[in-house]
Amino acid sequence: MVYDYRLGFENNRSDWYKLKTAKENNNKFKALIFPDSQSNDYTEWESLAMNAWQNNQDSDFFINMGDLVDNGYDLVQWNGWFDGVEPMVNNIPVAPVQGNHETYTTDWQVAMPNVYLEMFKLPTNGNDKY
């Protein structure tokens, strides 16, 4: 099945993109999995991510295994992260994993990862009982 979606907040909206879900009775998929991307300069992150994606255009989604940014409250770093994966994230979904660096405030104190939680509206992990 194919869904149309766009990203944004308030009056800022992206273009419309397509999201294809797995075909019925198909349990095969291909994912790109990246380690920490945290940095103050996301040039190498962009090079790594784009090279991997360009060589694996049939990937269904990508995972970033935590510490996406060095400081979770630094919007410049978030812009660098998103700029580095822009073509890829416009074509395949990202499954971000929160790391400890997403919890750092600009004065390096640990806090709720509010910026991360606003950037990625992820499904909950089910019933609190479990």
Side-chain angles (χ1 to χ4, degrees):
M1 182 162 250
V2 177
Y3 296 92
D4 292 320
Y5 73 96
R6 62 183 178 168
L7 307 172
F9 64 97
E10 296 177 354
N11 293 328
N12 300 311
R13 299 282 185 257
S14 71
D15 292 333
W16 287 95
Y17 300 106
K18 302 274 185 207
L19 172 64
K20 291 184 274 182
T21 58
K23 294 179 181 155
E24 213 173 298
N25 300 322
N26 182 1
N27 59 2
K28 294 181 181 182
F29 63 88
K30 185 174 188 178
L32 296 171
I33 302 175
F34 299 103
D36 296 10
S37 53
Q38 71 187 66
S39 182
N40 285 321
D41 175 4
Y42 286 84
T43 306
E44 289 183 28
W45 163 240
E46 180 177 2
S47 177
L48 172 75
M50 290 302 94
N51 186 43
W53 181 57
Q54 288 166 356
N55 287 298
N56 295 279
Q57 290 281 309
D58 57 338
S59 296
D60 296 297
F61 63 95
F62 74 99
I63 300 170
N64 203 161
M65 297 297 294
D67 294 345
L68 285 71
V69 294
D70 193 39
N71 186 295
Y73 279 64
D74 186 339
L75 296 179
V76 171
Q77 292 182 23
W78 282 111
N79 287 337
W81 187 89
F82 278 106
D83 288 347
V85 295
E86 183 177 1
M88 182 169 57
V89 80
N90 289 342
N91 287 281
I92 60 174
V94 58
V97 177
Q98 179 192 317
N100 65 306
H101 281 260
E102 278 72 58
T103 68
Y104 292 141
T105 64
T106 54
D107 59 353
W108 296 99
Q109 300 300 307
V110 174
M112 282 296 295
N114 293 331
V115 176
Y116 171 87
L117 295 172
E118 285 298 316
M119 296 284 183
F120 301 102
K121 297 291 188 184
L122 302 170
T124 61
N125 198 24
N127 190 323
D128 288 341
K129 179 178 173 183
Y130 301 107

